């Protein structure tokens, strides 16, 4: 078993695990479930996190150069380890996004529109859940329902920021800052994709024009060759006549 083979086999199971985690977290935040239901949802989230931790250990074990892989992927260790330090529960969402990006990114990156649209939708949804989680119980909170959180997330990620809703807690503002930076990154990808598409269209048009002009150029080259031949023949005739 090689690391690449393991990654190929683990991609889709990890994707399903991440989606289960997201569903459990969404139910916990939006449904405000308490008691036994909340215990089981928390258990599901920690179980999925445990799978992410096993995935990290498996990658480390299967790496050809473990020490090199460890130091080159310290961010993955931090992403897996930080949720241990409560009350940093929102950092588990970073684990979720990291896994989804790794497992789906390579599949969708070639289809830029799908990749960008999916990334933006996921960021909006996760950002709405995160800010609702920390804001809904705060005094003087402006964001108290999931609808409010979705509207806030959409205006924030697009950097519009109407100001009708805003986080009032320090962690909520950190979520807002992360979402704004993510929005700038997504818009940058969209702009780059459009520019790349335009350049490609211009190149394709230039190639099509060049292909269409090729027969004309060939005929013109033949005419030039024939004219040169006629000139030589005329020059020879003049020489003979002068003699």
């Amino acid at each position: 078993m090689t690391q690449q083979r393991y990654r190929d086999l683990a991609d889709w199971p990890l994707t399903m695990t991440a989606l289960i985690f997201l569903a459990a977290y969404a139910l916990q935040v939006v449904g405000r479930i308490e008691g036994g239901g909340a215990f089981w949802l928390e258990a599901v989230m920690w179980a999925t996190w445990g799978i992410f931790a096993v995935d990290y250990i498996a990658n480390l074990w299967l790496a050809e150069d473990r020490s090199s892989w460890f130091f080159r992927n310290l961010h993955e260790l931090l992403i897996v380890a930080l949720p241990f330090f409560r009350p940093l529960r929102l950092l588990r969402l970073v684990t979720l996004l990291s896994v989804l990006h790794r497992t789906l990114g390579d599949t969708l990156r070639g289809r830029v529109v799908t990749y960008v649209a999916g990334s933006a939708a996921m960021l909006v949804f996760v950002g709405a859940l995160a800010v609702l989680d920390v804001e809904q119980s705060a005094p003087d909170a402006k964001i108290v329902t999931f609808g409010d959180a979705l509207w806030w997330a959409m205006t924030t990620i697009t950097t519009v920021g109407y100001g009708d809703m805003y986080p009032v807690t320090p962690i909520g503002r950190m979520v807002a800052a992360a979402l704004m930076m993510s929005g700038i990154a997504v818009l940058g990808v969209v702009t780059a994709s459009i520019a790349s598409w335009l350049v490609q269209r211009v190149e394709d048009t230039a190639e099509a024009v060049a292909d269409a002009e090729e027969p004309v150029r060939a005929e013109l080259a033949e005419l030039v060759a024939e004219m040169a031949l006629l000139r030589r023949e005329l020059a020879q005739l003049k020489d003979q006549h002068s003699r």
Side-chain angles (χ1 to χ4, degrees):
M1 175 68 71
T2 63
Q3 186 181 36
Q4 185 58 48
R5 175 63 175 164
Y6 166 77
R7 281 177 173 264
D8 293 338
L9 292 174
D11 276 354
W12 285 107
L14 281 174
T15 301
M16 295 306 299
T17 302
L19 292 177
I20 291 171
F21 171 88
L22 183 60
Y25 183 75
L27 284 173
Q28 187 183 60
V29 173
V30 179
R32 302 185 184 183
I33 298 174
E34 299 179 354
F39 170 81
W40 284 110
L41 288 175
E42 190 73 16
V44 167
M45 285 190 288
W46 279 109
T48 56
W49 175 86
I51 294 174
F52 299 150
V54 170
D55 172 67
Y56 173 83
I57 294 171
N59 274 288
L60 178 60
W61 179 261
L62 294 172
E64 293 183 3
D65 187 345
R66 292 175 188 168
S67 60
S68 175
W69 190 90
F70 175 81
F71 287 109
R72 285 188 292 105
N73 294 274
L74 283 174
H75 63 285
E76 292 195 16
L77 175 62
L78 291 175
I79 287 171
V80 171
L82 281 175
F84 262 130
F85 302 100
R86 299 178 69 88
L88 303 178
R89 57 184 272 131
L90 292 182
L91 290 173
R92 288 179 294 183
L93 291 175
V94 179
T95 309
L96 164 73
L97 293 175
S98 175
V99 170
L100 287 177
H101 178 74
R102 197 193 87 188
T103 55
L104 295 178
D106 292 338
T107 303
L108 296 178
R109 196 168 288 117
R111 292 170 283 179
V112 176
V113 175
T114 304
Y115 178 70
V116 172
S119 299
M122 180 61 66
L123 285 171
V124 167
F125 186 66
V126 171
L129 287 176
V131 79
L132 182 63
D133 189 12
V134 297
E135 290 288 316
Q136 60 186 349
S137 300
D140 302 323
K142 306 295 182 183
I143 304 171
V144 294
T145 67
F146 186 61
D148 292 342
L150 274 179
W151 172 251
W152 170 84
M154 285 187 287
T155 58
T156 301
I157 198 171
T158 55
T159 67
V160 174
Y162 285 109
D164 52 345
M165 296 175 188
Y166 52 88
V168 297
T169 64
I171 298 179
R173 289 169 182 167
M174 290 174 62
V175 172
L179 196 57
M180 282 185 282
M181 288 186 288
S182 300
I184 293 171
V186 169
L187 290 176
V189 171
V190 172
T191 304
S193 301
I194 294 174
S196 177
W197 176 76
L198 289 175
V199 170
Q200 185 63 45
R201 288 298 300 271
V202 170
E203 290 179 352
D204 292 343
T205 302
E207 290 178 0
V209 171
D211 292 340
E213 291 178 349
E214 188 61 32
V216 177
R217 291 176 180 174
E219 291 182 4
L220 183 60
E222 290 178 2
L223 288 174
V224 170
E226 290 178 1
M227 289 178 63
L229 180 60
L230 288 173
R231 287 176 179 174
R232 287 196 297 269
E233 291 178 354
L234 286 173
Q236 290 175 359
L237 289 173
K238 287 181 179 179
D239 290 341
Q240 291 175 1
H241 183 72
S242 63
R243 292 174 185 174

